[in-house]
Amino acid sequence: MIEFVNVYLFWIMIVPFVIFALLVTTTKDRLERLFDEDVLARIQVTDSMPIKFRHIGMLISIFLMIVALARPVVNEGDKKVDIQGLSILCALDISGSMRSEDVYPNRLEFAKKKLSEFLDDLPSDVVSIEAFAYTPFVLAPFTSDKSSLKMMLKGIDDRYISFGSTDFEALATQSAKILEKKKPKILVVFSDGGDKEALKGFEDTLKANGIDLYVVLVGTTKGSPVLDENHKPLKLKDGTIAITQRNDELGKIAQNMNGAYVVASNGKEDMKELSKLIHSKYKNQIQGEAVIKQRVELFYYPLALALLILLISLSSTPRLRREV
């Protein structure tokens, strides 16, 4: 069955086309208004093809172009296609240490950049994003719309940063609720790490809920001053400047759970490798169905015919009319 995909364009263009056609076919040119028809027939230089036929040819050509613009197709019906991928929960650290500037421009912005790069390598997966410090919360539910996730990430700045202690066990509990109906259960944490005290109970809670852990660590082991909301170094009670270093203990937990961790670096290869590692370990799950319309495009037929007629209409050779 033939149908038009852009039928609205046909109706938009057809009205000015009809007006234009009436003007072309009913309006006389300047010579016809000045001279009698018999006189004009004797003195004018005529074409091998009469002017009216050329006008008709150009009008037919324009009409066929409008038909082509409306995009005629043969509709062969709809086809259902399974969308396969993994469900991946990403957790972004927004604790006070993420304001430190030992990576450019700071740990939070660098972690956001790496998370955005990671999303680029998950084309058919569904992803949810949560933020965590003392209390975790969902930034975005599971979706395959990576553009929306990136737009949401851009809105996260250091105003979200909390100076409360980081509760990794609360993160594990919240992640278990979010991933409750997912299989496999995959958690990817973007953080500068934490010490053993902060991580107490984190591994046990993940294991109890069957969650696989992967970690992207940001920051340096050399460390950098902890900055307040005014980007000034915080001082300890003894007056010394508080320094925060990247702690790899979180990565070791991921390794113990048969996961993996990477130390984030410049370039995109680290996120590509992490994505490959995750996808090689798990089989893709069916995330839903997509309906694809099967169509055979026909627009090039009226377009080709329009160009041919237009070429013929414009290629007539002039000849001088002679009267004996």
Side-chain angles (χ1 to χ4, degrees):
M1 177 181 177
I2 297 179
E3 61 181 37
F4 293 91
V5 177
N6 303 324
V7 66
Y8 65 94
L9 291 177
F10 178 84
W11 294 115
I12 290 174
M13 299 297 295
I14 199 65
V15 174
F17 168 76
V18 171
I19 295 173
F20 174 73
L22 290 173
L23 291 174
V24 170
T25 55
T26 59
T27 303
K28 295 183 178 181
D29 61 27
R30 293 183 62 186
L31 290 177
E32 289 176 329
R33 292 195 296 268
L34 293 174
F35 296 96
D36 182 81
E37 289 185 6
D38 293 335
V39 175
L40 185 62
R42 293 175 178 274
I43 65 173
Q44 71 177 353
V45 176
T46 61
D47 292 335
S48 57
M49 179 184 294
I51 188 69
K52 290 185 178 180
F53 284 101
R54 285 205 299 160
H55 286 168
I56 292 173
M58 284 188 287
L59 290 175
I60 293 175
S61 178
I62 294 172
F63 178 78
L64 290 173
M65 289 180 184
I66 294 174
V67 172
L69 188 64
R71 193 181 161 195
V73 297
V74 175
N75 192 347
E76 296 183 343
D78 297 337
K79 181 180 179 180
K80 291 184 178 180
V81 179
D82 291 333
I83 301 175
Q84 294 188 333
L86 297 172
S87 297
I88 299 176
L89 173 60
C90 295
L92 178 64
D93 191 343
I94 57 170
S95 60
S97 59
M98 294 295 285
R99 193 181 272 123
S100 296
E101 298 176 346
D102 52 351
V103 289
Y104 182 81
N106 58 47
R107 293 181 185 178
L108 177 62
E109 291 300 321
F110 193 69
K112 286 166 51 181
K113 175 185 174 185
K114 302 312 293 184
L115 177 48
S116 181
E117 292 172 0
F118 185 59
L119 292 174
D120 289 335
D121 295 309
L122 307 174
S124 61
D125 304 296
V126 292
V127 180
S128 175
I129 299 177
E130 61 179 334
F132 71 97
Y134 180 71
T135 303
F137 59 93
V138 176
L139 289 172
F142 281 106
T143 178
S144 59
D145 187 353
K146 308 305 187 303
S147 297
S148 296
L149 292 175
K150 288 183 179 181
M151 289 295 294
M152 180 276 305
L153 278 177
K154 288 182 179 180
I156 305 297
D157 55 31
D158 61 6
R159 291 176 298 177
Y160 284 75
I161 288 179
S162 169
F163 275 101
S165 59
T166 306
D167 192 340
F168 281 92
E169 187 174 7
L171 169 64
T173 301
Q174 175 75 3
S175 300
K177 293 178 181 179
I178 298 172
L179 293 167
E180 183 178 4
K181 296 182 180 180
K182 301 298 182 180
K183 187 178 180 181
K185 300 177 180 181
I186 304 171
L187 173 64
V188 182
V189 178
F190 292 75
S191 172
D192 56 3
D195 56 31
K196 290 185 178 180
E197 184 63 28
L199 293 168
K200 188 177 180 180
F202 180 62
E203 181 177 357
D204 292 338
T205 303
L206 292 180
K207 286 182 177 179
N209 290 278
I211 298 174
D212 295 337
L213 177 64
Y214 297 85
V215 175
V216 178
L217 292 169
V218 297
T220 64
T221 54
K222 181 180 179 181
S224 177
V226 179
L227 304 178
D228 62 16
E229 60 274 10
N230 297 315
H231 296 273
K232 295 181 178 180
L234 288 175
K235 293 183 178 181
L236 301 175
K237 292 181 179 180
D238 60 4
T240 59
I241 294 177
I243 301 295
T244 174
Q245 294 109 353
R246 187 191 79 227
N247 193 317
D248 294 349
E249 192 65 31
L250 181 60
K252 295 177 182 178
I253 290 178
Q255 285 185 321
N256 293 337
M257 298 176 61
N258 294 321
Y261 80 95
V262 296
V263 177
S265 60
N266 292 319
K268 300 182 180 181
E269 291 304 315
D270 50 357
M271 295 299 98
K272 289 183 182 293
E273 290 300 319
L274 179 60
S275 174
K276 287 181 182 178
L277 177 64
I278 293 174
H279 284 93
S280 65
K281 185 176 180 180
Y282 307 99
K283 290 183 178 180
N284 287 338
Q285 305 295 312
I286 296 177
Q287 302 293 352
E289 289 184 338
V291 178
I292 299 176
K293 292 185 177 296
Q294 298 187 101
R295 294 166 171 166
V296 177
E297 297 286 351
L298 301 177
F299 73 91
Y300 41 82
Y301 291 114
L303 182 60
L305 184 57
L307 294 176
L308 177 62
I309 295 175
L310 183 62
L311 180 63
I312 294 173
S313 300
L314 298 177
S315 62
S316 57
T317 56
R319 61 180 177 83
L320 182 64
R321 179 186 294 272
R322 297 181 178 180
E323 295 292 336
V324 179

